[in-house]
Amino acid sequence: MAFQDYKPWLGLTGSQWIGLDNFDRIFQYEGATQAIVNTLIIAVSKIVVGIFVPIVMAILLSEVRNMGIKKSIQTLVYLPHFLSWVTVAGMMIDLLGLDGGINHMITSLFGTEPIYFLGDPSLFRTTIVVSDLWKSFGFGMIVYLATIAGVDPSYYEAAEIDGATRRQQIWHVTLPCMMPMIIVIATLSLGSILDAGFDQIFNLYNPLVYSTGDIIDTYVYRSSLLNGQYGFGTAVGLFKSVISFILIVIAYRLAYKLANYRIF
Amino acid sequence: MYHKTKGYKLFSWFNYALLILAGLSCFLPLLHLLAQSFSSKAAITGNLVSFWPVGFNTDAYSTTFNNDNFTGSMMISIIRTILGTAISMFILTTAGYALSKQFRGRNVLMWVFVFTMLFNGGLIPSYILVTSLGMKGTIWALVLPGAFGAYNLILLMNFFKTIPKALEEAAFIDGASFFVIFRSVYLPLSLPGLATVSLFIMVGHWNSWFDGLLYMSNPADYPLASFLQTVVVQSNAQSMAMSQSEVEAMAEQSIKAAQIFISTLPIILVYPFLQRYFVKGIVLGAVKE
Amino acid sequence: MKKVGKVLTTAVLTAGLLAGLLAGCSNGGNGPAPAANSTLKDGKYDPTITISIGKQLDENAGKYFEGESLNDNVLTRWGVDNLGIKVETTLLGGDAAQYNNKLRLALTGSEKLPDVIPVYDTMLANDLIQSGRVKELTEDIKNYMPERLKEIYKQYPSTFNPVINDGKVYGMPISPNLTEGEVMLIRQDWLDNLGLKAPTTIDEFEQVIAAFTNDDPDGNNKKDTYGFTFSGKDSYNTGWVSDPVMIFSAYTGKHIPGSWQVDEASGELVYGSVAAGNKDALAKLRDWYTQGYLNKELATQGAWDAIADFAEGKAGIIVGRPWLYGSVAAVETNIAGAKVSAYPTINGVNGDKTYQSGQLNDGVFMFSKDFNNMEAFFLYYDKLYDAAFGTGDFQYGYAQGYDYDIVDGEVVFDPKKFNKPMDAIQGVGKMAFTKNTPAVGEAGKHYYDLAQGVEPNTGPLMGANAADETTKAGYVISYENRDALLPNIFNGPPTKTMQSNWEQLTTMEKETFTKIIYSKEPLEAFDEFVKQWHEKGGDTITKEVNEWYSNASGVDVMSGMGLK
């Protein structure tokens, strides 16, 4: 379908073949390069931050001695994951607006001008990444908590006996044991490297921040509103998948060569 | 067990503070929703509600529970989630176990699965496939298409890999078959992994709304997330053609908030149950090296 | 053993994929519908015939009474009992975007199209026509459309444009009627406190919003108010609420942003957003923004969200349709002394009225080629209009106890006063074919008649009478100013160049306008935008639009349908 001018009533065999035209169109768009750049920047930031923070939080949480607090925090932090972006965006627009709660705090504490989180192109990407982090870190932590739970305590005992402090234990026992899983998750995240989060951006972006906030998916959405062109949409999807595939293969090979670890 | 140095105490305090702050930041928005669901329409429009209801009333909840569509959809979501998770887990655990071994053609098979994770035909082919297999409008359209998720498969496989081979070998020597080993050794030892993956699958099923809207023609068959989508998103539409009657028909914010809250409740309650499985030291002492 | 399980799964998946491929290749044949054996006896069909319809979404979801549902409710039962016609929804969208998707998917042949298909997207209407699966209607309309409906449809020939192809008509507009226009809602108490009158020109407007921002109109010694709220996130001509279009129109006259209108000089269609006057409007808006007279979040808030500031008592003026009052009335409840009044929109710099988008219809009906019961459809459709005309079974509303009630011999529309009190009425009219119940009486005529002293003795008049004062006043203003309503003259499917370039052009437009208002770009950026617009496809598109226009206005299909 990606190589056709697909019309639903003509079906697969009836629609006209147009070769690479659909793919050409992706690049014809003026903002195409910008959209791809934005997508990459946002997606990579999300992946990096989205791996790093949950790991740190998981380790910190596993250090908590009080079971009650530990369990409640675990449950609380994974709540935002269940709200849809429509709901969260609504709250965010309220909270981060020029007259919103956060800016009130900032102006009264620091006496500076309010910060236009959602309207300043240079801040927009950061706002997106941080809010996405907030929404998903609790959930991302779960895998790491499970991994930490699976670490053989005898390792810790051995380290203890060798005189290691808590920090050294974390560095030399916990992290290495988590490494395989971290690599797996990192590699699998490459599969979504060109998915910078349509739902979130669609609900939060506005004309002021198109230059930094427009991603491939929002562009495809806007143009397909006009023409329901399935061929084009499929071509874009194919394009994204091919890139992801290449990246995953590279990561797989790297992990194998460097760490002698087969991710799958 | 740990040296209670002063540095450690400081770290502990800092840790608690940070975590509690994180927890609160995640909790407060839901508290805000909860407050809205108990508030009066005028108060919400006037933006008077922050974390505590203003103009307290339980109308939103009584409307919601009397709403057959809502409760019906909730039932469907529950059925779909349980059914879907059970089927998925069965397929994935058996597949993951097998794939954690080496055998002829294993790598090829693995790459095929990875391929499916990345490449899919898009909307039309999926739709045609589901419809021509006769699943449209039935619960199978919601449960089967996503049953074999390669992402979860890879996760499970890695959990299985962490189990020491020595255990398996010992069991072989004792005359156990693959199946017995799978059931009695691997499954019990990878409980954290199983808990994690089943949680992912459950959440995936609970939240997925697109397939519900796509494959179900009768709104009575919508899973809860699809139903919510029509209620919440519908009123955020930017269409110019919103007429007076459409606007009046829009659900009030308090009802929306109540519905969002109620729909997140079941899945939130599942997690504490699964937390038991995130326990250290299951492999303790099993292997003497 | 385990391997077997996996091989099996893979095999099933592959088989499934193949099946899918094959299915995708063939076009499922649609057998002809069974021939109608029903006959019309005394206005009722015997045996009952079924008409299948598509619906964008179920507006009454969650609100049905006990025992009622989408396909079995008070209105469907009425249809069966009185007309022998059963209406069944076989294709439900779920939301607007999904509906279009599902219709396209239905075209792939994997399922049958419903008999009656409401279509809200011009591109989709064109696709349906191209697919050859929809009925040509000239004869049917001529023969079966009742006279009173013909009188209505005669008045709106342009609404047929999206469904005309090669001189043939493939659909008909849904309940065409001039929808009510927007009015200016102002905090009357603020005007009174400051001794001001409602503005009628740009300069007066500027004075008022300046005063609203700086002179503490709510008397609480805090600078927490501002003048004018609107939304610019999706468009600067929203057409229903939070609309800034009057400011633009003040300088450009008829050439409102986002709309194609006829240029007096050349007689051709031109696009409003590139008219020269927009530059002055933007300069004004930019100044107002810098001085704090406007909604600071106008770029991030959608139309519906931008009303919040007014409803919370922060903003003093908002433009919207008269019924907007109902949604912002909370301000009167929450703030002591607050009062909202309706006024006409301001006049332009040359003394002329300002214009706004007009809407003539919401979507079109298209019919599946195999549908043989057009006469039955028109019978049902005509009955639905009873509510609008105030005659017949539906003279007061569609169902007693649902959208109206008779209490102690009096007709009552306030649901809280029904025999079985309810919080809100049930939109029974929506249980039939369309989103909106048919209406006559353009732009609020009923309210105007009432204001002229006409007795409320028909359903629609009584309904209008039951509205609150501010809303009524708003509708009267809307009717009196209905000549300021300009429907977009271009209502055909996107042209060839539009399909590839239009999105880019509108993005550029939104960015430029917004950045100028926020002072992120200088005023000259507008000239650059106009230049780019023309070069990057705007000129070609204008040509294509005018070609369409001469075709559409040249062809006469109305007489063929008996609608001249």
Side-chain angles (χ1 to χ4, degrees), chain C residues 254-271:
Chain C
K254 288 201 171 160
H255 299 290
I256 51 184
S259 184
W260 292 87
Q261 301 292 334
V262 177
D263 175 38
E264 263 96 47
S266 61
E268 296 209 326
L269 288 184
V270 290
Y271 185 59

Short mmCIF file of all heavy atoms in Angstrom, two decimals, chain C residues 254-271:
data_model
loop_
_atom_site.label_atom_id
_atom_site.label_comp_id
_atom_site.label_asym_id
_atom_site.label_seq_id
_atom_site.Cartn_x
_atom_site.Cartn_y
_atom_site.Cartn_z
N LYS C 254 -15.46 41.97 4.05
CA LYS C 254 -16.01 40.64 3.85
C LYS C 254 -14.93 39.56 3.82
O LYS C 254 -15.23 38.38 3.88
CB LYS C 254 -16.74 40.60 2.50
CG LYS C 254 -18.01 41.37 2.52
CD LYS C 254 -18.94 40.92 1.41
CE LYS C 254 -20.29 41.59 1.64
NZ LYS C 254 -21.11 41.64 0.47
N HIS C 255 -13.69 39.96 3.69
CA HIS C 255 -12.66 38.95 3.50
C HIS C 255 -12.11 38.47 4.82
O HIS C 255 -11.01 38.80 5.23
CB HIS C 255 -11.55 39.52 2.61
CG HIS C 255 -12.07 39.91 1.27
ND1 HIS C 255 -12.47 38.98 0.35
CD2 HIS C 255 -12.30 41.12 0.72
CE1 HIS C 255 -12.91 39.62 -0.73
NE2 HIS C 255 -12.81 40.91 -0.53
N ILE C 256 -12.95 37.65 5.49
CA ILE C 256 -12.58 37.19 6.82
C ILE C 256 -11.57 36.04 6.72
O ILE C 256 -11.57 35.30 5.75
CB ILE C 256 -13.83 36.76 7.63
CG1 ILE C 256 -14.70 35.80 6.81
CG2 ILE C 256 -14.63 37.99 8.00
CD1 ILE C 256 -15.98 35.44 7.53
N PRO C 257 -10.73 35.92 7.74
CA PRO C 257 -9.67 34.92 7.66
C PRO C 257 -10.23 33.52 7.44
O PRO C 257 -11.27 33.16 7.96
CB PRO C 257 -9.00 35.00 9.04
CG PRO C 257 -9.42 36.26 9.63
CD PRO C 257 -10.71 36.67 9.00
N GLY C 258 -9.53 32.75 6.65
CA GLY C 258 -9.90 31.36 6.48
C GLY C 258 -11.07 31.13 5.54
O GLY C 258 -11.51 30.01 5.35
N SER C 259 -11.56 32.18 4.94
CA SER C 259 -12.77 32.03 4.15
C SER C 259 -12.56 32.49 2.71
O SER C 259 -11.80 33.42 2.47
CB SER C 259 -13.88 32.85 4.82
OG SER C 259 -15.10 32.68 4.17
N TRP C 260 -13.21 31.85 1.77
CA TRP C 260 -13.13 32.27 0.38
C TRP C 260 -14.36 33.09 0.05
O TRP C 260 -15.48 32.59 0.12
CB TRP C 260 -13.07 31.05 -0.54
CG TRP C 260 -11.81 30.27 -0.42
CD1 TRP C 260 -11.55 29.26 0.48
CD2 TRP C 260 -10.63 30.39 -1.21
NE1 TRP C 260 -10.30 28.77 0.30
CE2 TRP C 260 -9.71 29.44 -0.74
CE3 TRP C 260 -10.27 31.21 -2.27
CZ2 TRP C 260 -8.44 29.29 -1.30
CZ3 TRP C 260 -9.01 31.06 -2.83
CH2 TRP C 260 -8.11 30.12 -2.35
N GLN C 261 -14.16 34.35 -0.32
CA GLN C 261 -15.29 35.21 -0.64
C GLN C 261 -15.04 35.88 -1.98
O GLN C 261 -13.92 35.90 -2.48
CB GLN C 261 -15.47 36.28 0.44
CG GLN C 261 -15.71 35.75 1.83
CD GLN C 261 -17.05 35.05 1.97
OE1 GLN C 261 -18.00 35.34 1.25
NE2 GLN C 261 -17.13 34.12 2.90
N VAL C 262 -16.11 36.44 -2.54
CA VAL C 262 -16.00 37.07 -3.85
C VAL C 262 -15.39 38.46 -3.72
O VAL C 262 -15.84 39.28 -2.93
CB VAL C 262 -17.40 37.19 -4.50
CG1 VAL C 262 -17.30 37.90 -5.83
CG2 VAL C 262 -18.00 35.81 -4.67
N ASP C 263 -14.39 38.71 -4.53
CA ASP C 263 -13.77 40.03 -4.56
C ASP C 263 -14.60 40.92 -5.49
O ASP C 263 -14.77 40.61 -6.67
CB ASP C 263 -12.34 39.89 -5.08
CG ASP C 263 -11.68 41.23 -5.25
OD1 ASP C 263 -11.91 42.11 -4.41
OD2 ASP C 263 -10.92 41.39 -6.22
N GLU C 264 -15.11 42.04 -4.97
CA GLU C 264 -16.02 42.88 -5.76
C GLU C 264 -15.43 43.27 -7.10
O GLU C 264 -16.09 43.22 -8.12
CB GLU C 264 -16.36 44.18 -5.01
CG GLU C 264 -17.65 44.12 -4.27
CD GLU C 264 -17.43 43.76 -2.82
OE1 GLU C 264 -16.54 44.38 -2.23
OE2 GLU C 264 -18.13 42.87 -2.31
N ALA C 265 -14.16 43.63 -7.06
CA ALA C 265 -13.55 44.16 -8.28
C ALA C 265 -13.47 43.11 -9.38
O ALA C 265 -13.85 43.36 -10.51
CB ALA C 265 -12.16 44.69 -7.94
N SER C 266 -12.98 41.91 -9.04
CA SER C 266 -12.73 40.95 -10.10
C SER C 266 -13.83 39.92 -10.27
O SER C 266 -13.89 39.23 -11.26
CB SER C 266 -11.41 40.22 -9.83
OG SER C 266 -11.55 39.53 -8.60
N GLY C 267 -14.70 39.83 -9.28
CA GLY C 267 -15.76 38.82 -9.37
C GLY C 267 -15.24 37.42 -9.11
O GLY C 267 -15.95 36.44 -9.29
N GLU C 268 -13.97 37.34 -8.67
CA GLU C 268 -13.42 36.00 -8.42
C GLU C 268 -13.32 35.75 -6.92
O GLU C 268 -13.35 36.67 -6.12
CB GLU C 268 -12.01 35.94 -9.00
CG GLU C 268 -12.00 36.10 -10.50
CD GLU C 268 -10.82 35.36 -11.08
OE1 GLU C 268 -9.76 35.34 -10.41
OE2 GLU C 268 -10.97 34.82 -12.16
N LEU C 269 -13.14 34.48 -6.59
CA LEU C 269 -12.99 34.14 -5.19
C LEU C 269 -11.56 34.43 -4.73
O LEU C 269 -10.61 34.10 -5.44
CB LEU C 269 -13.28 32.66 -4.96
CG LEU C 269 -14.74 32.21 -5.08
CD1 LEU C 269 -14.85 30.74 -4.73
CD2 LEU C 269 -15.61 33.02 -4.15
N VAL C 270 -11.44 35.03 -3.58
CA VAL C 270 -10.11 35.21 -3.00
C VAL C 270 -10.12 34.72 -1.56
O VAL C 270 -11.16 34.65 -0.92
CB VAL C 270 -9.66 36.69 -3.02
CG1 VAL C 270 -9.38 37.14 -4.43
CG2 VAL C 270 -10.68 37.57 -2.36
N TYR C 271 -8.93 34.42 -1.07
CA TYR C 271 -8.80 33.86 0.27
C TYR C 271 -8.63 35.00 1.28
O TYR C 271 -7.78 35.85 1.12
CB TYR C 271 -7.60 32.93 0.30
CG TYR C 271 -7.41 32.19 1.61
CD1 TYR C 271 -8.40 31.34 2.11
CD2 TYR C 271 -6.24 32.32 2.33
CE1 TYR C 271 -8.23 30.68 3.28
CE2 TYR C 271 -6.06 31.64 3.51
CZ TYR C 271 -7.06 30.82 3.99
OH TYR C 271 -6.88 30.15 5.17
#
